[in-house]
């Protein structure tokens, strides 16, 4: 029987990838996690034994809690979260319910080590255009909502990565970069276990725009134009990133929910 304060895997999956997604906390026992070291996308792994100490940090936020089967550990952690003012729900069926529904799972081994703030830290070249906005969007929406992105002079990416414990991406000679005809966005989708139809649709558009193969998807030319326009609007890379996240939020919702919709002048062909 579902908890009185629960969320189904399907409903949670619909929220993932959008700005309205809840914080997701995984409180599985260490042995259960070791048996299948994958995570519901964006999950933070926290111990149920210390819920009293970390729950207060989520006051005023919406949280979904998962354990192995969505029972005592998730219920207890959610109760502590509600005690401190969070809107906390238990994921129905827990990790197993999500897994058995065939929903995406992120290998924990693919997620870079988190910094002292608890967030993953990434570094890439300054003046981002396409891949260097698309990849942060993917990470923020499906891997680590708190991820930090450092934009630095191209020649210094490797040194900054080494000295500041950051993960380099979209530069030559690193793991998170182009491979053959694939762009970095493609590589991340595959490595993070996020191969879904909407993201595959987006990936073709991003690849076409990023590698100047505009024939890959009709929308690629539009994404290229908008991306270049954003780079002219914003001199600050972080401001450009924040503006770009909204573009990819809209593109994701189109890819997921609206690819069959058309628009034309009322009364014209294809009018909706």
């Amino acid at each position: 029987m579902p908890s009185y304060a629960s969320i189904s895997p399907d409903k949670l999956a619909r929220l993932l990838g959008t700005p309205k997604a809840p914080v997701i906390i995984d409180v599985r026992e260490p042995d259960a996690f070791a048996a299948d070291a994958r995570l519901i996308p964006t999950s933070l792994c926290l111990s149920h034994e210390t819920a009293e100490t970390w729950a207060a940090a989520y006051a005023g936020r919406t949280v979904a809690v998962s354990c192995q089967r969505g029972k005592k550990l998730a219920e207890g952690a959610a109760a502590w979260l509600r005690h401190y003012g969070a809107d906390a729900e238990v994921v129905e069926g827990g990790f197993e319910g999500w897994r058995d529904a065939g929903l995406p799972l992120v290998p924990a081994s693919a997620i870079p080590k988190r910094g002292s703030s608890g967030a993953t830290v990434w570094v890439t070249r300054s003046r981002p255009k396409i891949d260097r906005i698309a990849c942060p969007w993917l990470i923020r929406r499906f891997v680590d909502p708190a991820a930090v992105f450092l934009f630095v002079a191209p020649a210094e990416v490797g040194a900054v990565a080494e000295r500041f414990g950051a993960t380099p991406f979209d530069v030559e000679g690193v793991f998170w970069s182009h491979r053959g005809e694939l762009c970095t966005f493609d590589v991340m989708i595959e490595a993070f276990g996020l191969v879904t139809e909407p993201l595959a649709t987006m990936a073709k558009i991003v690849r076409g725009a990023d590698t100047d193969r505009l024939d890959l998807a009709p929308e690629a030319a539009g994404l290229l134009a908008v991306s270049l326009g954003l780079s002219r609007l914003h001199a600050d890379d972080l401001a450009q990133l924040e503006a770009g996240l909204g573009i990819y939020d809209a593109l994701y919702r189109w890819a997921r929910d609206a690819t069959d919709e058309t628009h034309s002048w009322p009364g014209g062909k294809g009018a909706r």
Side-chain angles (χ1 to χ4, degrees):
M1 181 178 178
S3 167
Y4 80 97
S6 63
I7 184 169
S8 70
D10 286 344
K11 183 177 179 180
L12 181 57
R14 293 287 294 177
L15 292 171
L16 277 176
T18 76
K20 294 182 179 179
V23 175
I24 303 176
I25 297 177
D26 185 320
V27 294
R28 278 180 290 169
E29 295 275 18
D31 57 346
F33 179 80
D36 191 338
R38 295 180 295 170
L39 295 162
I40 296 173
T42 74
S43 291
L44 279 171
C45 289
L46 298 173
S47 173
H48 71 278
E49 295 179 348
T50 55
E52 182 180 0
T53 62
W54 52 253
Y58 299 94
R61 303 184 70 179
T62 302
V63 185
V65 187
S66 175
C67 60
Q68 188 67 10
R69 297 183 180 86
K71 295 186 181 296
K72 57 183 180 293
L73 300 188
E75 286 281 356
W80 270 115
L81 285 158
R82 290 192 293 270
H83 172 75
Y84 281 111
D87 179 8
E89 297 178 310
V90 172
V91 180
E92 292 176 12
F95 173 82
E96 291 184 359
W98 180 276
R99 180 198 64 198
D100 294 347
L103 295 166
L105 286 163
V106 176
S109 59
I111 303 173
K113 182 180 178 181
R114 296 177 185 271
S116 58
S117 68
T120 56
V121 182
W122 304 76
V123 62
T124 190
R125 297 168 287 143
S126 57
R127 304 312 300 144
K129 297 295 188 298
I130 299 163
D131 236 355
R132 284 166 287 151
I133 299 291
C135 291
W137 174 83
L138 185 76
I139 293 165
R140 287 262 182 95
R141 297 292 184 253
F142 290 95
V143 180
D144 176 16
V148 173
F149 296 95
L150 308 177
F151 295 98
V152 303
E156 302 302 327
V157 171
V160 170
E162 181 181 352
R163 295 297 184 91
F164 290 87
T167 299
F169 72 99
D170 203 46
V171 293
E172 291 185 7
V174 303
F175 179 81
W176 300 106
S177 192
H178 287 225
R179 296 180 192 171
E181 294 188 348
L182 301 180
C183 64
T184 310
F185 189 75
D186 291 295
V187 170
M188 286 191 173
I189 287 174
E190 182 175 350
F192 286 130
L194 297 171
V195 182
T196 65
E197 187 173 346
L199 289 176
T201 297
M202 287 182 66
K204 187 179 291 187
I205 298 168
V206 171
R207 190 185 322 133
D210 193 60
T211 62
D212 199 28
R213 288 181 287 164
L214 302 183
D215 58 314
L216 288 180
E219 300 79 14
L223 179 60
L224 175 60
V226 169
S227 301
L228 295 177
L230 277 179
S231 73
R232 299 300 189 273
L233 281 172
H234 299 281
D236 181 272
D237 292 340
L238 293 177
Q240 183 183 344
L241 172 60
E242 291 305 313
L245 293 178
I247 300 298
Y248 285 92
D249 284 338
L251 187 59
Y252 177 69
R253 288 303 302 271
W254 168 81
R256 195 186 75 178
D257 302 325
T259 53
D260 292 332
E261 289 188 22
T262 59
H263 175 73
S264 64
W265 188 254
K269 183 179 179 181
R272 294 288 176 96

